[in-house]
Amino acid sequence: PWWSPPLLLRLVHFASLTVIALDLLLKAHYMGGMRAYCTKPWQQSHVVFTVLMVADFLLTVPFDCQWLRITRLLRPAVIVTRSREIRRVYSVVKDMLPSLRDMTFTLVYLLCVYAAVGVILFSFADDHFGSFGKALLSLFVLSTTDNYPTVMDETLSAAKGSTTATRQAAVALAPVFFVSFLCVGVFFIMPLVLGVIVSAYTDFSKKQVLKDLRKQRQAFGKAYVLLDHSGDGVSLEVWQRLLSNLHLTDDPILARWMFELLDKDGNGVIDAMEFCTLSELLSYDFEFEDLHPAPRTLAVSQAWRTTAA
């Protein structure tokens, strides 16, 4: 029957692939075709992953070849290609890799030096410094400030009762060894690594803001071209009709007041540069008891022109 678990899962899988494929086709159709849609690496990856998953379903399900379902590994990748936030995290990680690589080499060098010294001094503590690999692991754990008393106490306990000069010297140098490692690794190297991560994220955020602002200006430019039929600018009549069609306001007084705010040079039309400040105007919340008194409207208009100039 159709409600049996294997068949039900196939139906759910088929429905999910249908939704993913339709979403891709609709977006490509909206943007003017598949070639226009595949202009960015993320979109190209989305198309490739979708085609592979659909082909995999059509080829393996009819023949019940479950061992061929290799595209199951691509499902998380599809989520990455469709999620803007995950793509941003990926971009941040990619941008910070060069700087983080240098800091990682510094951290590894520090661990290797202290591991070599630790093996020489505390080779009798087999659990933590019995070999170079154990020393590296113990020091890496210490760099996270975890199990610090355990490592140091067990190392010193292994030397208790010994009368050899080597172990006595190791016990005397142990505080200097561990404290210096923590000071250099935890209070110097680790903050630098975190600083690299924060700096990479800040630089990415600045680039993303500039990119979004550029897209916004391009969108306003295209909208302005549609509104400015005569080439002389957007008139008050066109502006009022625009606000009415967008269901922003039908009040002619409010529409005229907003028009005067955008018309900074006061020539009676909104040019392209003035129209691009529309997003700034819409970001403000204006509350008035009455818009009709001219002095108050004029004062607010002058204040807007001063801050937006």
Side-chain angles (χ1 to χ4, degrees), residues 64 71 111 117 193 226 244 252 259:
D64 197 21
T71 58
L111 291 175
V117 175
V193 174
L226 296 176
S244 178
F259 181 86

Side-chain angles (χ1 to χ4, degrees), residues 162-184:
S162 176
T163 58
T164 60
T166 304
R167 293 196 179 186
Q168 290 180 354
V171 172
L173 293 175
V176 178
F177 176 84
F178 288 106
V179 172
S180 63
F181 175 77
L182 284 180
C183 289
V184 176

